[in-house]
Amino acid sequence: MNTDTGRATADDPSAFARPGPRETPPAPPVRVRLALPTDAPAIAAVHQASRQATMPYLPPQRRTHEEVTRWIREIVLPQSHTLVAVRGAELLGYAALQGELLEQLYLRPDVRRTGIGSLLLAEARRYRPDGLYLHVFQLNTAARAFYAHHGFRVVAANDGSANMENLPDLTLRWTPAPGSIPPRGTP
């Protein structure tokens, strides 16, 4: 660059370079926290979107977003230990535990296979270090593979008479190996 005129010259080819794309700041980290009553609408949206995207064999949803939000706020949150995965203000997924039963684990469809389900499951395991069990539809091969990858084993099969969808399901159980899960509060 010619410093007298402020113009680029052939003597300084870097002066002709286009500025690079602006780097976007990194996304905030994903963290898991206890759900709050104010999370109910976002949890309901995750629940509905996830079921629609991952379980196309289910009948069409009959409940409105408001009805599902009310169910989350009045039933799920008071009766369950509910964890949410968040990135900044965005709610990405949730898990609801009732004792040793992992009643629900749902993610926004756009964040599946990014480690968020594993993060929620790891936190659920820390809350229930003696083991967890869950029910999964036999048709839900992706969920079955996810849980098998995380050490869950089939302990029972059902013909569908025990669930409101009347679809055959499996009961899966995870029991930790001795010393495999650190106690809550340890790094």
Side-chain angles (χ1 to χ4, degrees), residues 44 48 62-73:
Q48 291 178 293
R62 296 184 312 232
R63 291 180 177 71
T64 66
H65 176 72
E66 291 75 23
E67 290 171 320
V68 176
T69 298
R70 186 171 39 254
W71 170 68
I72 295 289
R73 188 175 33 251

Side-chain angles (χ1 to χ4, degrees), residues 28-36 39 81-88 90-97 105 107 115-127 184:
V30 174
R31 64 186 183 90
V32 176
R33 63 168 171 78
L34 285 174
L36 304 169
D39 293 324
H81 182 84
T82 306
L83 304 164
V84 292
V86 295
R87 181 183 297 126
E90 278 185 290
L91 195 138
L92 308 172
Y94 79 102
L97 295 152
L105 194 157
L107 303 175
I116 295 168
S118 296
L119 189 64
L120 279 166
L121 184 57
E123 191 63 18
R125 286 176 167 180
R126 278 192 262 290
Y127 278 93
R184 188 148 169 71

Side-chain angles (χ1 to χ4, degrees), residues 117-140:
S118 296
L119 189 64
L120 279 166
L121 184 57
E123 191 63 18
R125 286 176 167 180
R126 278 192 262 290
Y127 278 93
R128 301 295 181 259
D130 294 332
L132 291 171
Y133 74 97
L134 59 92
H135 305 288
V136 62
F137 294 122
Q138 289 183 24
L139 291 171
N140 196 342

Side-chain angles (χ1 to χ4, degrees), residues 8 17 19 29-30 40 52 71 92 95 102-103 116 147 165 167 172 176 178:
V30 174
Q52 184 176 8
W71 170 68
L92 308 172
L102 179 58
E103 180 68 28
I116 295 168
Y147 291 117
E165 293 86 357
L167 291 172
L172 307 180

